[in-house]
Every structure is written in C-alpha cells, then in structure tokens.
Amino acid sequence: MFTKISIATSLFLAIVHADFNPSAKLTKPALVDSLDYLKDPMMKTFHSVPHTVTQWTSGWIPEDCKKLAESEDLSAADVTAYAVKYEDVPSGASWAYNSNANIVMFEEIDNIVPRFIHETAHSLDIQGAYQQHNKTSTNSNQNWLDNYNKDPNVPDKYAQSNMFEDVAQTSVLAAFDINVPGGYDGIEPKAADVFHQYATIITYQREAGYLLVPGGTCGKRLPNSKPVQVKKSKRGVRTRDGTIMPDVSLADGLEIIEAKEFSTKEHCRRPH
C-alpha cells in the first residue's frame, strides 16, 4: 500500500512540474517579511574587487544602455557611460557591461550587496549557468522544483511574487550561508523551513565553479554591448565633434557565453 501511494504521489508531482508556470504567484507563506536584516553582515563580508573607472568619451553610449533609457522615456543624452576594468578579468577586457544580463537601477539603494546578488542570480538562472542540472532554467527544472516542494516556506514576501524571484531571493540566502561567518542558520532560527531551496542553489553554484564565492578570475562572460552614438552621425567611428568610438573588445582567452534574451522588468519593479 505504501509503495502504491508513493508512486501515485510521484506521478502527481511530475504532472504538476510539467504544467508549472514560473511566472505564477507562489502560495507558500513567506519566512520573513524581507531580507533587509541580511544587509549589514553581507556588507561587512563582501568587498569590492580592485578596479579602475574611466568615463566614456562624449557622444557614445552602449547600445543596451540607450535602449534601456529610451524604454523608460529617458533621453540617452542624459546618460553618462563609464568603462570599468576589474583586476580579476584578463588584461584587455576593458570594461564590465553585460548585454542581455543588465542590472538596471533607478535610485540609490543601501542594500547594494543583496540587491546585486539577487539580480546576478537572475542571470545565472536564466542564462543557464547551472547546466549540469538545468536543461531549462533553474526556476522550472525538475530537481529545483522537487526541493522547493520539500520546504514549507519561501524566503520572504518578494520571493512569493513568482518562481523567478524565489530563485533570486534564495540565492541571496545561499550566498549568505556560504560566505558570512555563522551561515544563514546562525542569524535565522527558522532557516530549516527554506533549507532545501538554498541548499540546492549552494550545490548548483559549487558544481558550476563556486559562482557565489568571491575570488578566482573571470574566464567566461557575455559579449559586450556595442557602442552607438547618442545622436546619429554619418561619420562612422567618430562623432560630430570628432570623438572616437570606445573599444569594447574582449581579451584573448575569455570564453564568450551565448546570450539568451530575457527581461525581468515586469516583476523586478518593486523593492526587494
């Protein structure tokens, strides 16, 4: 009798997974209202990689930035573009701007580390960084959903928005647990109620090369967004005032990741 019940349950769950919509609102209760209480320990633990910042020559802007600004009814002429060179990226890779994996923010924020981990987690999820488990994105693969079903809660109210946001918020818990002394259960007494979710992300990132752990070097990246002129000109690589198009070529030896088009705009508009 027990075996029959187990088989029937497994078949039922498999049907649910096959029909699962990752954009649907989740019905599990939130463990806490928000993850703001993780900010201070994370800010003390994570530190910026040494880098240099150089302002782009006037008249030029990354194409993605131009499109994003115009999609918000903003003028590209009001955008200031910067080149950022990080020491953990091979020399020659002159800046760090990801097409199709842009992190777009419209206000100053004080929980910068959790927010960047959250938005980076969307890229890792949707761009297929965890290929050993994911024939699809993390948010809808069988292994993730099996572990999601083992927990009574999701991390917070924002994680209830849909499975995309649950994966991203859970990734914040995973990064906290891995890197902050004492781990997540050291600060959250009810951590066991979301354990299977963040433990799954910890496993995924470890098997993919410790993607949520600081250190190492950057050997893979998405292609850079090409420079375009803020105002159209027939001068090609020069603007009307003679400034030359910025060089966004990548260093030799970097593995280029094929970008997948996606946007989390509609469900990333609210504070996390």
Side-chain angles (χ1 to χ4, degrees), residues 1 5 7 16 18 26 46-47 51 72-73 82 84 91 111 113-114 151 153 170 208 210-211 236 253 259 261:
M1 179 65 71
I5 292 174
I7 292 174
V16 171
L26 303 181
F46 291 93
H47 304 285
H51 60 279
E72 298 291 335
D73 296 324
Y82 294 88
V84 183
S91 60
N111 59 339
V113 171
D151 290 336
N153 294 89
T170 298
Y210 295 95
L211 300 183
E261 294 282 349

Side-chain angles (χ1 to χ4, degrees), residues 42 172-186 191 195 198 202:
M42 295 185 87
V172 175
L173 304 190
F176 189 102
D177 191 74
I178 298 166
N179 296 286
V180 178
Y184 184 54
D185 59 356
F195 170 77
Y198 75 81
I202 289 173

Side-chain angles (χ1 to χ4, degrees), residues 152-219:
N153 294 89
V154 293
D156 68 347
K157 289 183 177 179
Y158 195 67
Q160 292 178 309
S161 302
N162 52 52
M163 193 60 81
F164 292 104
E165 300 306 334
D166 183 43
V167 169
Q169 290 295 75
T170 298
S171 296
V172 175
L173 304 190
F176 189 102
D177 191 74
I178 298 166
N179 296 286
V180 178
Y184 184 54
D185 59 356
I187 195 173
E188 175 50 63
K190 298 178 290 183
D193 290 343
V194 290
F195 170 77
H196 292 91
Q197 291 165 86
Y198 75 81
T200 299
I201 297 297
I202 289 173
T203 298
Y204 284 3
Q205 66 83 37
R206 182 180 66 245
E207 294 178 353
Y210 295 95
L211 300 183
L212 296 179
V213 178
T217 57
C218 177

Side-chain angles (χ1 to χ4, degrees), residues 21-26 72 102 104 106 115 118-119 121-123 125-126 137 139 156-169 261-272:
N21 176 11
S23 297
K25 185 175 178 60
L26 303 181
E72 298 291 335
N102 302 303
V104 183
F106 290 95
R115 181 73 64 91
H118 172 105
E119 300 302 342
H122 281 311
S123 296
D125 171 15
I126 299 169
S137 298
N139 60 72
D156 68 347
K157 289 183 177 179
Y158 195 67
Q160 292 178 309
S161 302
N162 52 52
M163 193 60 81
F164 292 104
E165 300 306 334
D166 183 43
V167 169
Q169 290 295 75
E261 294 282 349
F262 74 92
S263 173
T264 57
K265 177 179 178 180
E266 294 305 317
H267 52 274
C268 280
R269 301 293 289 184
R270 293 163 290 168
H272 300 167

Side-chain angles (χ1 to χ4, degrees), residues 17 26 65 251:
H17 293 157
L26 303 181
C65 280

Side-chain angles (χ1 to χ4, degrees), residues 14 29 39 70 100 149 174 248:
K39 178 190 68 175
E70 292 173 347
N100 306 117
N149 282 330
V248 296

